Every structure is written in structure tokens, then in C-alpha cells.
Amino acid sequence: MSQQCGNSRIAGCSFSVHPMTDQFVEYIKGSLKETDTSNVWMDTDEVTTTVRGEIEHVFDVTRAVFLRIAKTGVHTAFNATYSIGCPGDSAGDQYTGDIGEPANGLHEVKQHTSAKFSLYPMGGGDYMEVIYREIDRMKEKGIDVSAVHYATKLSGDVNDTFHGLEDVFRETERSGSSHTVMTVTMSANSPSQKEEQS
Amino acid sequence: MSQQCGNSRIAGCSFSVHPMTDQFVEYIKGSLKETDTSNVWMDTDEVTTTVRGEIEHVFDVTRAVFLRIAKTGVHTAFNATYSIGCPGDSAGDQYTGDIGEPANGLHEVKQHTSAKFSLYPMGGGDYMEVIYREIDRMKEKGIDVSAVHYATKLSGDVNDTFHGLEDVFRETERSGSSHTVMTVTMSANSPSQKEEQS
């Protein structure tokens, strides 16, 4: 089977969400059930959940799964690897029906998060200028940006953060990187953070 | 400041551990406190903990922090990005005292885990043969290995898994990759897994 290219390149994300509570099963299952996944292929095993589809849908679904849990106030961690163009990837396991608009809403929800992300453009492309430009756009939205070991740290609103990350990922892909990977670690309602803010 | 090379290349890991319980703070703080970190530089913020030092110490510390929590039986997730040779890295924030042997023990603890790892050798090197060889060695130790989207899945003993991952990372570095990144997601005592095993 030849690899798909161009507009039909499949994006995907392997992610996990961790509500730090005895009721973690109810939180995770509840959030996955409430999330509109009709535009993606999705599979959950005991380590991560994998979603595959168009970039906008992959980000919409992962944002919604995390935000539905975080907005309850429980301490929640989120870890994700977004990928597109992996040379070993197949054309299988993707949604092939009618593709609609991202349907998960929640854009009005205000929720603070601290995050670290790393971008690995592994297939060339003129991406450094792209990354700096997108990081500047995040700062304009009010997200605090700082450099840490092995990552860039972001602090701000969950929706703004996800949209910023989606833009970085999409624009890196557009810049010509044939294989782009982005890892994200996110935390909401952390007691460590509350101490810092108080 | 010029970058350090050769034997003094600094390895590091940005990681987080998630005990899925209301008592998560006690579990995390307790494990960090009990772990011997005298051979590494370590810093914890509200998103991740970062350790820096020699490869063997970085793996010893991260393994111990995870295993001390997992062996209590609580459902625990672990996420880590191991890195060496990052071009943007500095020579700072490393332990400069006497370097001893990895001191965290726990090698007799038997604990099952399911994990997914991805290797990103971003600085050349002849690594494909190395990866296949190291994966074969993991299989010989009794670890189940399978291909999943965006990662390789491992299922087996925690100590065997960490040692296998350390070998893959170290041998990829040795093969000539000037910048190597490895991401690991690990889960212990998952209720999903208990269902599968019963």
C-alpha cells in the first residue's frame, strides 16, 4: 500500500489524561463518552487513547477530552504526542465518512493551564521562523512563554493554549516538514500552582 | 559558553508521574523524597520534574520514582521525555560532585507495566539496526513487543522495561546520533489491564 500524501495526510495523536482522584475511571469514561468523536478514528487501550483524522479534528477532540475533566476542578494532567507524516504510518485506521466541522465547543470555558511542549520537525522544512512567529502570536493572546530544559513552557487559558499549539503544528507542517512530531504535557488545577498563585 | 561533548554530554529527562488517587500529593512527594537523587540535578515545577546527569543515573532515578508508587498497587501513569545532545541545551544545571553508582535498588521488585515508547534520533547515526537489535533483546527478557500507531508497545516487568529502554537510548546515542529523544508513556495497575488479564 502506498503512503497517502497531500490533502489526505492523516494526522494523529496518542494521548492520555490523568484525573488525580479515586474516581478517575468515571471522569475518563465520562469525558470520552461526552466528546463528539464522529469525525475521527479513535481507539483506547490500557496505555493511551489514539485519535486519527484531520488536524483540526484531532486537536478539537483532545482539547475537549482534557477540558471536560479539568473544568470540574479536579487536578488533571494531559500528555500527548501529535504526529503527521510518520514514514512508518499506514493509510488505515482513519475515518472515511462525511467530515464535518469540529463539534466539541467548550470555547467559552475559562480554565488555566501550565504546559510544556516540544516540536520535532524531522523532515526538513523552513520551520524556525514559523515557530518564532507562532510563539509570538501565543504571547499576544496573553499566554506566558518561557524556555525550560527540553521544552517550551506555556501558561494561560486552555483554549488559547490548544489553539496556539494547533497553529504551531499546522504551520510547521505547511513549512515543508514531511514528518512532524509535537509532544505536549499539560496540567490543570495543580496544588503546586495554587500555592504559587496565592 | 561552548557546548559540552564526549563523555561529559549531559543526558536528561522531563517526566511526570500520576498516581490516580485522592492522595496523589502524598504519593508523589513521598516517592521523590525516598529516591536517591545525589547523582543528578533535579527540579520540580507544576508541570514536570526534570533530572539531568549521566544516562545511567537519569534512568535509575526515573525508574525508582515510578516504581516506588506503582508497587503500592495504586494505578499509576508515567510520562517521560529522555533527551541527550539537544543543540539548544546548555552545560548548566548538572550535578558536578562525585559521581557514584546508581543507588536506588528496587531491582527485586516485581511489577507489571504496559508502555509505549517512541525514539527520535535527530542527528544522523546508523540506528535502525541498533533499534531492532535492542528490541530483540527485550523480547528475550520476556517483554511483549508490538507495533502501535506512533509508538512501540511493551508489556512486561517494570525493571526489565526500564533497562531495555535505557539500552535502546544509550545504543542509539552510541550509533552516532548527535541528538536523541525518546518519549515513554507507562501504566501500572490499570483497571483496563486487570480486565484484560482476568
Side-chain angles (χ1 to χ4, degrees):
Chain A
M1 186 188 299
S2 63
Q3 277 189 258
Q4 298 207 347
C5 287
N7 289 332
S8 57
R9 281 165 65 90
I10 313 164
C13 181
S14 174
F15 75 100
S16 52
V17 62
H18 307 293
M20 311 280 263
T21 162
D22 294 346
Q23 282 76 49
F24 67 92
V25 173
E26 290 79 1
Y27 277 97
I28 295 171
K29 287 194 173 172
S31 182
L32 289 174
K33 196 176 170 186
E34 283 176 53
T35 299
D36 185 332
T37 59
S38 57
N39 291 315
V40 296
W41 176 90
M42 188 163 89
D43 181 62
T44 299
D45 65 21
E46 78 277 23
V47 187
T48 69
T49 293
T50 304
V51 288
R52 284 161 60 83
E54 294 181 1
I55 290 176
E56 61 181 347
H57 291 115
V58 168
F59 276 88
D60 182 58
V61 166
T62 50
R63 175 187 62 85
V65 171
F66 174 61
L67 191 46
R68 278 210 172 79
I69 300 176
K71 75 186 176 72
T72 67
V74 70
H75 176 28
T76 313
F78 170 86
N79 285 277
T81 297
Y82 295 89
S83 178
I84 190 165
C86 178
D89 196 15
S90 67
D93 296 340
Q94 62 171 315
Y95 177 73
T96 52
D98 287 334
I99 299 292
E101 293 293 309
N104 278 294
L106 298 171
H107 299 291
E108 76 293 352
V109 176
K110 296 295 172 200
Q111 170 68 50
H112 183 83
T113 189
S114 292
K116 290 183 182 177
F117 84 97
S118 303
L119 195 65
Y120 307 114
M122 291 185 292
D126 186 17
Y127 50 80
M128 284 314 296
E129 212 169 292
V130 166
I131 295 172
Y132 290 131
R133 186 186 71 209
E134 296 303 321
I135 283 178
D136 280 341
R137 284 177 56 181
M138 286 196 225
K139 288 179 183 169
E140 284 165 19
K141 286 182 183 177
I143 297 174
D144 281 339
V145 181
S146 55
V148 290
H149 287 301
Y150 314 121
T152 299
K153 189 170 178 181
L154 307 175
S155 184
D157 179 71
V158 168
N159 279 312
D160 290 343
T161 302
F162 266 95
H163 295 148
L165 291 170
E166 179 178 342
D167 287 343
V168 170
F169 185 75
R170 187 192 304 277
E171 294 302 316
T172 303
E173 156 84 355
R174 274 195 193 146
S175 79
S177 167
S178 63
H179 178 200
T180 302
V181 170
M182 183 171 72
T183 60
V184 178
T185 302
M186 215 176 271
S187 169
N189 312 312
S190 163
S192 315
Q193 185 170 43
K194 281 172 193 162
E195 283 165 26
E196 285 178 16
Q197 288 181 328
S198 65
Chain B
M1 187 188 299
S2 64
Q3 278 190 257
Q4 299 207 345
C5 287
N7 289 333
S8 57
R9 280 166 65 92
I10 313 164
C13 182
S14 175
F15 75 101
S16 51
V17 61
H18 308 294
M20 311 281 262
T21 161
D22 293 345
Q23 281 77 49
F24 66 92
V25 173
E26 290 79 0
Y27 278 98
I28 295 171
K29 287 192 173 173
S31 181
L32 289 173
K33 196 176 170 187
E34 283 176 54
T35 298
D36 185 331
T37 60
S38 58
N39 290 315
V40 295
W41 176 91
M42 187 164 89
D43 181 62
T44 300
D45 66 20
E46 78 276 23
V47 187
T48 69
T49 292
T50 304
V51 288
R52 284 161 61 82
E54 293 182 2
I55 291 176
E56 61 180 349
H57 291 116
V58 168
F59 277 87
D60 182 57
V61 167
T62 51
R63 176 187 61 85
V65 171
F66 174 62
L67 190 47
R68 278 211 172 77
I69 300 176
K71 76 186 177 71
T72 66
V74 70
H75 176 28
T76 313
F78 170 85
N79 286 278
T81 297
Y82 295 89
S83 178
I84 190 165
C86 178
D89 196 16
S90 68
D93 295 340
Q94 62 170 314
Y95 177 73
T96 52
D98 286 336
I99 300 292
E101 292 293 308
N104 278 294
L106 298 172
H107 299 289
E108 75 293 353
V109 176
K110 295 294 172 202
Q111 170 67 51
H112 182 83
T113 188
S114 292
K116 290 183 182 177
F117 84 97
S118 303
L119 195 66
Y120 306 114
M122 291 186 292
D126 186 18
Y127 50 80
M128 284 313 297
E129 211 169 292
V130 167
I131 295 172
Y132 289 132
R133 186 187 70 208
E134 295 304 321
I135 283 179
D136 280 342
R137 283 178 55 182
M138 286 196 225
K139 288 179 183 170
E140 285 164 19
K141 285 182 183 176
I143 297 175
D144 281 338
V145 181
S146 56
V148 289
H149 287 299
Y150 315 121
T152 300
K153 190 169 177 180
L154 306 174
S155 183
D157 178 71
V158 167
N159 278 313
D160 289 343
T161 302
F162 266 96
H163 294 148
L165 291 170
E166 179 178 343
D167 286 343
V168 170
F169 186 75
R170 186 192 304 277
E171 294 302 316
T172 303
E173 156 83 355
R174 273 194 195 147
S175 79
S177 168
S178 62
H179 178 201
T180 302
V181 171
M182 184 171 73
T183 61
V184 178
T185 302
M186 215 176 271
S187 171
N189 313 312
S190 163
S192 317
Q193 183 170 43
K194 281 174 193 161
E195 284 166 24
E196 286 179 16
Q197 288 183 328
S198 66

